[in-house]
Amino acid sequence: MKADPADQRALLDLAEVDAGVSRATHRRSHSPEAARVAELTEALREYRDQTIAAQIAAEDLAREVRRLENDIAVLATRLSKDSALLNGGTLTGKALTEIEHEIAGLHRRRGVAEDELLEVMERQEATAAEELRCGALVTQTEEEIARAESAAATAMSEIDVTADAARTRRDELRAQIDDALLAVYDKQVSQGRIGAGLLRQARCGACRMEIDRGTLSRYGQAPADEVLRCDECGAIIVRTHESGV
């Protein structure tokens, strides 16, 4: 295949611009700023779940406190009544013994209930602290997300500006290059490969593979308008004054 050497040299600029577009596309889909937003969003979900769990636990403990306080109040009322009977001096014999046993049992039950209440109140205090901690983390993470989203938006905008400029430059270059040569270049690119590379220091500028002397000699003897292809990667080999052949 033959092509104007100027068109072949223009392929180097086109390959560079295409690489820039690819980098911008990759940067956009693998943005560390966007990844940070996703990471913080996941953390926020976990902190919110922990906050809800702490709130539910706090409600359960509050109900338990009310139950125990009610039990203690009931026991206190019965103790007051039984103590009044005991101190009234009207009971004797078996009735007196029974009331003394009942009072002793009520004291034990109230002591157990009060111990349980103390334990639950300590858990209630710890749960309240956990709820505050999780709430603070939710607030902090929401603020971090807002900053991260702003940074991501700025980064995306910069990437889009760069990509748009590269695409505009690509269109300009493609308009200057022969269609037949572009077809060869595009087929190479469609296979996920670099379309063209500069021959320099006995290496292909696309795949960076060293070229043997025999092939270099063949490249040097080829007419300037002959389109050469790399035996290793298939890219169009572009010769300039830097090629040394």
Side-chain angles (χ1 to χ4, degrees):
M1 178 181 178
K2 304 291 185 178
D4 190 307
D7 282 356
Q8 294 188 47
R9 288 192 292 272
L11 287 181
L12 295 176
D13 293 333
L14 180 59
E16 183 178 351
V17 170
D18 278 342
V21 172
S22 296
R23 285 193 298 271
T25 301
H26 182 274
R27 174 82 167 78
R28 206 179 201 293
S29 60
H30 297 78
S31 164
E33 293 84 1
R36 179 57 177 163
V37 171
E39 177 186 346
L40 288 170
T41 300
E42 177 61 20
L44 178 61
R45 185 191 66 77
E46 293 180 2
Y47 293 146
R48 284 175 172 167
D49 288 347
Q50 292 172 14
T51 300
I52 292 172
Q55 290 170 344
I56 292 172
E59 292 171 0
D60 291 342
L61 290 170
R63 283 193 294 270
E64 184 68 7
V65 166
R66 290 193 295 270
R67 183 188 69 78
L68 288 168
E69 287 177 338
N70 182 67
D71 289 349
I72 292 170
V74 170
L75 291 169
T77 300
R78 290 179 60 184
L79 273 169
S80 179
K81 291 179 179 179
D82 287 353
S83 296
L85 285 174
L86 180 64
N87 296 328
T90 59
L91 300 177
T92 59
K94 183 178 179 182
L96 179 62
T97 301
E98 287 177 351
I99 199 68
E100 289 174 342
H101 286 166
E102 183 173 348
I103 289 173
L106 289 171
H107 276 298
R108 285 194 299 271
R109 289 169 60 188
R110 186 172 71 173
V112 170
E114 288 174 342
D115 288 343
E116 289 181 2
L117 177 60
L118 180 60
E119 179 186 349
V120 171
M121 291 178 72
E122 289 174 349
R123 289 163 55 196
Q124 196 175 38
E125 183 178 348
T127 300
E130 174 66 5
E131 187 177 350
L132 285 174
R133 184 189 73 84
C134 293
L137 286 172
V138 166
T139 300
Q140 176 184 333
T141 305
E142 287 174 339
E143 293 171 352
E144 290 181 359
I145 286 175
R147 291 192 293 270
E149 286 178 337
S150 177
T154 299
M156 292 300 103
S157 178
E158 292 173 352
I159 291 170
D160 289 344
V161 168
T162 300
D164 288 344
R167 292 188 184 98
T168 298
R169 177 58 179 158
R170 179 173 62 186
D171 292 342
E172 293 172 351
L173 287 169
R174 291 181 66 86
Q176 301 170 13
I177 301 172
D178 179 74
D179 288 342
L181 183 61
L182 273 180
V184 176
Y185 174 89
D186 289 342
K187 183 177 181 180
Q188 174 75 2
V189 172
S190 69
Q191 297 171 352
R193 299 177 178 181
I194 298 175
L198 173 65
L199 173 61
R200 182 167 54 188
Q201 296 179 348
R203 291 183 182 276
C204 167
C207 64
R208 303 297 180 184
M209 291 296 294
E210 187 172 358
I211 300 170
D212 63 76
R213 291 183 179 180
T215 302
L216 281 176
S217 177
R218 176 168 58 84
Y219 287 169
Q221 295 171 10
D225 63 349
E226 184 173 341
V227 177
L228 304 175
R229 305 289 296 275
C230 175
D231 293 339
E232 185 68 30
C233 68
I236 296 172
I237 292 289
V238 179
R239 293 163 290 167
T240 70
H241 64 280
E242 298 180 56
S243 300
V245 292

